[in-house]
Amino acid sequence: RVGLRPLDRMRQTALEVAGQPLDRGHVDLNQRVPADLARPDREIGQLGVALNQMLDHVDGALKAREHSENALRQFVSDASHELRTPLASIRGYSEITLRHAKDLPEDVGSSLQRIESESIRMTGLVEDLLLLARLDEGASFPKEVLDLSLVAGDVVSDAIARAPGHHWELDSPDYPVMVWANKNQLFQVLTNLVQNARVHTPEGTTVKVSLDVSDEHAVVDVIDDGPGIEPDMISQLFERFRRGDFGRSRKTGSTGLGLAIVKTITDACGGSVDVWSEPGRTQFRVQLPLFRGDLEGHHKD
């Protein structure tokens, strides 16, 4: 038992390392086998030396990965900032020119309309990238006490106006469901889920937005009876720039950032997002912590 005691200490070190989240963000990998056990002049000590060398190598690789991630994140943030102004100029000039479209040849007018629509699409992409970069950097956004029922109602009303070919339903309780969140971000989360259902399902599909309370969480379900999502794509849905038909009908382009934004914002609020799908039923569920504090001193939407 005395002879094998160093192996038990090495096992503890390995378990401590295995218990850390190593896949993203900053990692302090400072666990090592103690020097008195990692001795090259002993057989068991040689194992400790090898384990420490491996941990040094892994620590260096994690630091390099973190540096690369930070550099890429900063580049995306800077590029998004720089692109906003020229895109706004392109859109503005195209709008001004289109006011005189009747005096232009038909093909020129059509080209200008394409320039305007593409500038709008690119502006949306840039704004999404900038939001993700700011969230990754841990930027703080103003929050307030919000009634999730009102936000869901606004989102469904907008969806009815934009996609009258779909059947839209809203099921919410007759009491307020209060959460502590940024209003614009919360609106974007629900809008992205509804937009996802609209874009990837044919006209005539029924999309239901359901709101409920479970334990200490507000629960929002967005359910459609469309074609469903391929099972092998479920685990990749919330990755950035992840696009695909998933067996659904697509009518417009997609940046592949909508669901990534949903997950990033939801995680930042201390909530979660899940998805289940089969032919004829796809369900996205967002859970957010309920606001249980005193409403006095807070702005109620």
Side-chain angles (χ1 to χ4, degrees):
R1 288 199 297 269
V2 173
L4 294 178
R5 190 173 298 162
L7 289 179
D8 186 63
R9 183 63 184 87
M10 296 176 195
R11 179 184 64 84
Q12 293 177 15
T13 300
L15 290 176
E16 290 173 2
V17 173
Q20 290 198 54
L22 306 178
D23 57 334
R24 65 177 65 87
H26 178 69
V27 179
D28 285 323
L29 195 63
N30 50 20
Q31 291 84 356
R32 296 292 186 277
V33 177
D36 60 326
L37 299 181
R39 298 175 57 176
D41 58 335
R42 297 182 179 180
E43 293 182 356
I44 293 181
Q46 292 173 8
L47 177 61
V49 171
L51 182 59
N52 283 346
Q53 290 176 347
M54 181 187 69
L55 291 176
D56 289 339
H57 178 71
V58 172
D59 189 37
L62 289 174
K63 284 182 169 59
R65 185 263 299 159
E66 181 184 359
H67 176 75
S68 177
E69 286 182 351
N70 290 337
L72 179 59
R73 188 177 298 117
Q74 186 63 47
F75 168 76
V76 171
S77 179
D78 293 342
S80 299
H81 276 294
E82 294 298 326
L83 287 171
R84 296 171 84 182
T85 299
L87 283 172
S89 299
I90 292 172
R91 180 178 177 181
Y93 283 121
S94 62
E95 289 176 348
I96 292 174
T97 308
L98 281 173
R99 295 174 186 173
H100 307 283
K102 62 181 180 180
D103 301 325
L104 299 173
E106 183 177 351
D107 59 338
V108 175
S110 299
S111 297
L112 285 172
Q113 289 177 351
R114 288 293 300 153
I115 291 173
E116 181 186 26
S117 64
E118 286 301 297
S119 66
I120 293 174
R121 186 180 71 85
M122 285 298 298
T123 299
L125 172 59
V126 167
E127 294 295 338
D128 287 347
L129 286 171
L130 185 57
L131 173 61
L132 285 171
R134 293 183 66 190
L135 289 169
D136 287 342
E137 292 170 354
S140 59
F141 297 86
K143 295 183 179 181
E144 57 185 308
V145 180
L146 299 170
D147 185 352
L148 195 54
S149 302
L150 298 180
V151 178
D154 290 342
V155 170
V156 173
S157 296
D158 290 349
I160 293 173
R162 293 177 180 176
H166 283 65
H167 302 297
W168 300 97
E169 298 180 4
L170 175 62
D171 181 15
S172 61
D174 55 1
Y175 51 85
V177 180
M178 311 307 294
V179 295
W180 179 251
N182 178 275
K183 183 176 183 179
N184 292 334
Q185 291 181 6
L186 186 58
F187 187 86
Q188 186 168 10
V189 166
L190 300 188
T191 298
N192 285 5
L193 291 176
V194 167
Q195 171 82 353
N196 180 74
R198 178 183 70 82
V199 169
H200 296 292
T201 60
E203 288 191 358
T205 299
T206 298
V207 182
K208 181 178 180 180
V209 178
S210 177
L211 181 62
D212 200 358
V213 173
S214 175
D215 296 328
E216 297 297 319
H217 290 84
V219 181
V220 182
D221 289 313
V222 178
I223 306 170
D224 70 68
D225 58 0
I229 305 171
E230 293 295 333
D232 58 348
M233 296 300 299
I234 293 290
S235 62
Q236 307 174 35
L237 278 182
F238 299 104
E239 296 179 5
R240 299 175 187 187
F241 295 106
R242 177 61 60 185
R243 293 182 290 183
D245 288 342
F246 316 130
R248 297 171 147 203
S249 172
R250 296 186 55 175
K251 299 180 180 180
T252 62
S254 169
T255 64
L257 293 176
L259 293 179
I261 289 175
V262 169
K263 178 171 176 53
T264 304
I265 293 177
T266 303
D267 289 346
C269 292
S272 63
V273 57
D274 299 288
V275 59
W276 303 271
S277 184
E278 60 184 24
R281 179 181 173 87
T282 296
Q283 177 181 359
F284 285 86
R285 169 168 290 181
V286 171
Q287 296 189 79
L288 297 170
L290 285 172
F291 180 78
R292 296 294 192 183
D294 187 357
L295 292 180
E296 293 184 3
H298 296 285
H299 170 70
K300 179 180 177 182
D301 180 65

